[in-house]
Amino acid sequence: YCAINMVLILVNYLNFRADTLGMEDVVDELTYHLLEFWATFGFALVECISLVATPMSLIKIYRSPIVLKLILFFNIVASLVPAVLVTLNR
C-alpha cells in the first residue's frame, strides 16, 4: 500500500509537470483514482484479515471484540463505497 501511494505521488508530480509543459498526462484521472481507491479497499481487507486470522484471541487484542469487529466492518464499507462509486462513474 505504501508503494502504491509513492507511485501515485510520482504520477501526480509527472502529471502536473506534463500539464505545465503542455504535454499529455502520464496517467489519466480515471486510472489514477481507480488505483487509489481500490488499493485503499485492498488494504482495508488485508488489515481485517490480519486481525481476524491472528493466533491471539480478539479479547487479548482489544477489550471489546464487538467494537473491534464493528470498526473493521465500517473500515471495509467506508473504503468499498467510494471505490465502487468511482468505478461506476466512468
Side-chain angles (χ1 to χ4, degrees):
Y1 184 72
C2 288
I4 287 177
N5 280 326
M6 286 191 275
V7 167
L8 290 176
I9 289 171
L10 177 66
V11 166
N12 199 17
Y13 168 74
L14 292 175
N15 280 347
F16 174 75
R17 189 160 164 87
D19 286 343
T20 304
L21 297 175
M23 298 167 39
E24 188 176 335
D25 286 345
V26 176
V27 174
D28 63 316
E29 286 184 28
L30 179 64
T31 305
Y32 179 87
H33 284 52
L34 284 173
L35 185 60
E36 177 184 17
F37 283 103
W38 283 109
T40 303
F41 174 67
F43 180 73
L45 283 178
V46 168
E47 184 179 37
C48 179
I49 290 169
S50 67
L51 278 174
V52 172
T54 185
M56 293 175 27
S57 69
L58 289 179
I59 295 171
K60 289 183 182 177
I61 296 173
Y62 199 73
R63 282 194 181 152
S64 177
I66 293 178
V67 173
L68 180 63
K69 289 177 184 177
L70 282 172
I71 290 171
L72 290 174
F73 173 74
F74 286 122
N75 186 21
I76 290 174
V77 170
S79 61
L80 177 64
V81 170
V84 169
L85 288 176
V86 167
T87 302
L88 294 177
N89 191 27
R90 288 183 176 200

